[in-house]
Amino acid sequence: MALTNGIVYSYKEGGKMVTGPILLVIFAVSIIFIILMTAKVKLNAFMVLILAAFGVGLAAGLPVDKVLKAIKNGFGSTLGSIGIVIICGTIIGTILEKTGAALSMANFVIRRVGARNSPLAMAITGFIVGIPIFCDSGFVILSALNKAIAERSKTSMAIMAVALSGGLYSIHCLIPPHPGATAAAGIIGVDLGRVIILGLPLAIPAAVVAYFWATKFARRYEVPAKPEITYDELLKKYGKLPNPVVSFIPIIFPIILIALKSIALLPTRPFGVSAFFSTVSLIGDPVSALVLGVFLSLILVRNWKEDILGGWMANGIKNAGIILAITGAGGAFGNILRITPIGSYLGEILSPLGLGIFLPFIIALALKTAQGSSTVAIITSASLVAPLMGTMGLTGVWAPALVVVSMGAGSMIASHANDSYFWVVSQFSDLDAPTAYKAYTTATILEGTATMFCVWILSLFLI
């Protein structure tokens, strides 16, 4: 093997591998390509990431057969590890919507905090319902309730929109089974349970910040609620709602099981290595836990007809399809980056800067702000950061999980016009674009900043 003008020639393989500053050019072009094609051309992220994977591999000098193999392996291994988790999470979310369980949980929260605290009620509801349901879908599902409660309590929709969207958004960016965090965990190689153990409490300050921003700042903008259906009419639409305690079970139970497995696998082995340990390891695996969650959600179904059960599950699987495609493509792109020298070369350049846990955050922040998708931002960031973990000093039992939530914090900043969630929040809340920028976009910036501050504090003790 010989090095000439920044190119490593591998005589054994009969090809050439680019190295040195040229790698940075390839890397920069790939990121610009992803941003332009998703944000400007509006090409689906699946195709963009696959094309980027081909482009990086070939430009870096990998033989064609190795590029193809890396893309296939990256796509397959990513979906193999997290695909079932995403599908099951989507099915649970669909059943919670169709049975009225989401509304039942919202009513439970409203009764506890009081109708006069309607923004707090919707923030808490968004936080809970957002665990299995993607933020944009969750906002659409709860928007009728949000408007009805706003009208009933005479609260501006600017306040209600920011409170609800903040609760949903904090969960969406930080914990599985949401695709960004789930895929990043697979790419980085970290147990999903540890991501949940860190991500769930970290989502709380993010949601709290959004709530206080809504009540203290967004209140400046008076946007009257114009509900198409009243609160009472909404209750009549669903008829008898499921028991709220039962409604929580499909969400809470899988999370407890996954967390228990992560605790059981700690180096100190707190549960020993007995039969209990084996049982927890089995049912606490994210795949097993989410499958159990699906069956637990069926308790909420009153009419066990084939067209209902089969139809609802098929709808959930269909909704998961595009997420799976993007997630798998992100895995393919990440695998290409791993087998080229791009990651190691970036590590050599960035390690002297001492960015540590802030590097994943900054990369995700830049990608999110530029191209709009939190999922694409986290997956792409994970693909870039994975080869740099050791070089950047991000080692230790909890470091990989902290890296994932750090990228989640970055992917919150900033939701604006190139983000579909921005338009879901604004359009379903009757906010014009300027008001949405002032009230909602600023809230997402604060959410991400607050979350990263908490991640940094944790890193002082866990890394």
Side-chain angles (χ1 to χ4, degrees):
M1 187 177 290
L3 175 61
T4 306
N5 294 329
I7 298 178
V8 173
Y9 291 91
S10 176
Y11 301 113
K12 183 178 179 180
E13 298 175 358
K16 57 185 180 180
M17 180 71 75
V18 175
T19 188
I22 300 175
L23 290 170
L24 291 184
V25 176
I26 296 172
F27 167 69
V29 169
S30 69
I31 297 302
I32 293 170
F33 173 79
I34 291 172
I35 292 170
L36 290 178
M37 296 304 288
T38 54
K40 299 296 183 183
V41 181
K42 305 296 183 184
L43 186 63
N44 185 272
F46 165 76
M47 286 304 305
V48 173
L49 289 168
I50 291 295
L51 290 173
F54 271 107
V56 169
L58 295 174
L62 289 175
V64 174
D65 59 333
K66 286 201 170 185
V67 172
L68 290 170
K69 184 178 180 180
I71 289 174
K72 292 175 183 178
N73 289 345
F75 189 92
S77 62
T78 300
L79 292 188
S81 62
I82 64 172
I84 296 175
V85 173
I86 292 175
I87 292 172
C88 289
T90 310
I91 292 174
I92 292 171
T94 301
I95 293 175
L96 291 178
E97 174 198 355
K98 299 293 185 182
T99 59
L103 180 58
S104 177
M105 289 185 281
N107 279 336
F108 178 83
V109 174
I110 291 167
R111 287 197 298 269
R112 294 300 180 277
V113 303
R116 287 188 294 181
N117 296 317
S118 52
L120 177 60
M122 293 314 297
I124 296 172
T125 300
F127 188 92
I128 297 170
V129 173
I131 292 173
I133 301 178
F134 301 152
C135 62
D136 48 358
S137 299
F139 198 92
V140 172
I141 292 167
L142 295 170
S143 63
L145 175 64
N146 204 30
K147 282 186 176 182
I149 293 176
E151 194 276 335
R152 193 181 189 189
S153 61
K154 306 304 178 186
T155 305
S156 169
M157 279 306 300
I159 299 175
M160 299 297 285
V162 173
L164 175 58
S165 64
L168 288 162
Y169 198 50
S170 63
I171 288 290
H172 180 83
C173 293
L174 290 175
I175 72 164
H178 292 285
T182 307
I187 293 169
I188 296 294
V190 57
D191 176 54
L192 288 180
R194 291 185 180 178
V195 177
I196 292 174
I197 289 172
L198 288 181
L200 200 55
L202 283 170
I204 295 174
V208 169
V209 165
Y211 165 71
F212 278 107
W213 186 252
T215 55
K216 304 302 180 184
F217 179 82
R219 65 188 303 169
R220 301 177 184 181
Y221 307 101
E222 185 57 44
V223 181
K226 301 174 184 177
E228 297 177 1
I229 184 172
T230 66
Y231 181 76
D232 293 331
E233 289 171 340
L234 189 61
L235 294 178
K236 289 180 182 178
K237 173 186 173 183
Y238 281 97
K240 184 179 179 181
L241 295 174
N243 182 288
V245 176
V246 178
S247 299
F248 283 111
I249 290 176
I251 299 176
I252 304 301
F253 194 66
I255 289 176
I256 293 173
L257 291 179
I258 293 171
L260 280 175
K261 180 186 176 182
S262 295
I263 294 171
L265 292 176
L266 288 173
T268 56
R269 291 292 190 270
F271 299 147
V273 290
S274 62
F276 180 72
F277 170 82
S278 301
T279 302
V280 168
S281 297
L282 172 62
I283 63 175
D285 183 88
V287 171
S288 305
L290 267 295
V291 169
L292 285 173
V294 170
F295 282 100
L296 288 172
S297 70
L298 297 180
I299 300 172
L300 301 167
V301 181
R302 292 193 298 269
N303 191 349
W304 280 55
K305 288 185 178 179
E306 181 180 351
D307 59 334
I308 291 179
L309 278 179
W312 288 357
M313 286 194 176
N315 188 42
I317 294 169
K318 179 182 177 182
N319 291 338
I322 189 169
I323 301 299
L324 290 173
I326 295 172
T327 302
F333 180 60
N335 200 35
I336 285 288
L337 290 176
R338 276 194 294 273
I339 67 172
T340 63
I342 291 176
S344 59
Y345 187 74
L346 279 173
E348 293 174 7
I349 295 173
L350 295 174
S351 56
L353 300 179
L355 295 173
I357 196 64
F358 286 96
L359 176 63
F361 170 75
I362 293 169
I363 294 174
L365 182 159
L367 288 169
K368 162 66 178 182
T369 304
Q371 55 79 43
S373 169
S374 295
T375 300
V376 173
I378 298 175
I379 292 173
T380 306
S381 300
S383 302
L384 299 173
V385 171
L388 310 179
M389 298 283 288
T391 307
M392 300 300 297
L394 301 173
T395 57
V397 175
W398 289 98
L402 280 170
V403 167
V404 173
V405 292
S406 171
M407 291 184 290
S411 75
M412 293 181 187
I413 305 173
S415 178
H416 58 95
N418 62 0
D419 180 5
S420 61
Y421 190 47
F422 172 90
W423 296 109
V424 168
V425 172
S426 60
Q427 296 303 306
F428 279 85
S429 307
D430 299 323
L431 305 181
D432 58 32
T435 301
Y437 273 119
K438 295 172 186 175
Y440 164 71
T441 300
T442 50
T444 64
I445 295 172
L446 293 173
E447 280 191 89
T449 303
T451 303
M452 187 58 215
F453 176 77
C454 295
V455 170
W456 173 66
I457 295 295
L458 285 177
S459 72
L460 299 178
F461 301 94
L462 298 178
I463 297 181

